[in-house]
Amino acid sequence: MTNKKFYVTTPIYYPNDIPHIGHAYTTIAADIITRWHKIKGKEVFFLTGTDENAKKVFLAAEKKGKDTKKFVDELAEDFKDAWKKLNVDYDRFFRTTDKDHVKEVVNILNKTHKKGDIYKGVYEGYYCVGCEAYYTEKDLENGYCPIHKTKTELMKEESYFFKLSKFQKKLLELYEKNPEFISPKSKRHEIINRVKEGLRDLSISRKDYGWGIKIPFDKSHVVYVWYDALTNYYTATRKKGKEKFWPTDVHLVGKDILWFHAVIWPAMLMSAGIKIPKKIFAHGWWTFNKEKISKSRGKVINIDELISIAGVDSARYFLFRATPFGDDGDFSEKTLIDRHNNELADKLGNLVSRVSTLVEKYDVEKTENKLLKKLNLKKIEKLFKNYEFDKVLNEIFSFIDICNEYIQNKKPWETKDKKILYELKESILKISELLWPFIPETSEKITKQFNAKKIKKGEILFKKI
Ligand code: MSP
């Protein structure tokens, strides 16, 4: 194997409230990718964490009357708990208040400053605290943020600027030379067109309001939270033993924050003379019963709610089975339960239960596995490489259908044919391996059951709801 290491990241989440399904989506995706590469024998570095030096975080703490650091300490634990409950096995939980991070942000700012890519000016325009982003009047909808639909802040303030405009040509070259740098394709064109329209320099500091990393060459300013946050991906690889993971193989992000990752982040790195990540993949957004997920309107699914519907594995399965990873999807309890009943219980659960019962009774006898040849592994590999998770699962479940039909046709309960049972047993083990990234808990149960010296009918894997 040529490349034995793999580095995957999720965005670092604002700890201004507890995690919900949107955060879980990217984080489980990163877990799936991690497990997949582990099966392939790679050494994987999976990074997630919290983006703490944000104004919205500061304001949320203030609203609760809490000390900001104490507030983020508590919420960071909530995120860690959530990932534990969802069986997400990350390597580092990154917090932008971590010491090594502050040091690295300062380091990159100094490098960029020395290059002459930072200058002092006045920022005049709009700011949405929800997005932690700057807007011009024409971006807004009647003065309101196009994403949050909330009133934006009109600002006029001394600020340091990063010469983003200088990198237009270089960025376009990067996209041209690396057609997969921005994925999926549809999103790539959007970004390229916007970059072609021209880039404005980016305000990267605010007058110190009591929270955030100080600008090293002017302590009366704090670093703009996105400049700070993006750096996390690099900081994490400055630790001993982790250097080899840079550049990132894939940054997973939601479509709303693609611009920051595909435009601002590579420009920051170009200026600081650091290698550029290999891929930014933008996934779609979940709505809830066709409505935008919104806390204020009570349309939000937190992690406990998500798990309580049909268990962890069914939730993980549903999120990646129902909708292509790059598209928007609609979440409803009913559709999750339908998939749980019709696919996990009726197809997978049934196959495992029938075969284990028969093997317990009649045993197996080694033979050439013709059944397994019907599984198109090459196709699955290719689909996975493009993060077409829904199609990967479709392929695996088509094979599960084939296995169920095979039992129906071969009737091993009548023939007591141990060779047929061997083929089925081995096929189930392969299915279980392929499903491990998606439904790890169930997969581990199946693998243990079918690798045992004496295979026995086990407990029901998915109880129907
Ligand atoms: N802190 C920044 C990221 C900095 S990365 C250097 C941030 N945080 S966030 O907490 O607001 O959101 C993080 C992610 O959650 C984004 O990728 C966003 O797309 C995702 N989601 C939030 N709501 C979502 C849905 N309803 N559906 C799918 N993903 C969504 O942005």
Side-chain angles (χ1 to χ4, degrees), residues 166-175 270-271:
K166 179 179 147 182
F167 295 91
Q168 184 192 28
K169 209 173 140 227
K170 273 194 164 175
L171 285 167
L172 290 170
E173 270 167 27
L174 168 76
Y175 310 145
M270 283 169 183
S271 171

Side-chain angles (χ1 to χ4, degrees), residues 39 70 107 131 148-149 217 232 238 252 308 329 362 442:
I39 296 176
K70 240 186 114 203
N107 183 20
C131 300
H148 289 87
K149 319 279 175 206
F217 38 87
N232 93 90
R238 295 308 89 197
L252 300 176
S308 71
Y362 306 119
T442 306

Side-chain angles (χ1 to χ4, degrees), residues 10-14 16 20-23 25-26 51 56 130 226 229-230 232-233 252-257 261 283-287 293:
T10 74
I12 45 174
Y13 307 110
Y14 293 125
N16 60 333
H20 60 63
I21 187 175
H23 307 119
Y25 190 43
T26 335
D51 184 359
K56 68 196 267 180
W226 269 102
L230 287 162
N232 93 90
Y233 305 126
L252 300 176
V253 300
K255 61 179 185 179
D256 54 319
I257 58 171
H261 286 82
H283 65 67
W285 267 52
W286 285 96
T287 49
I293 290 181

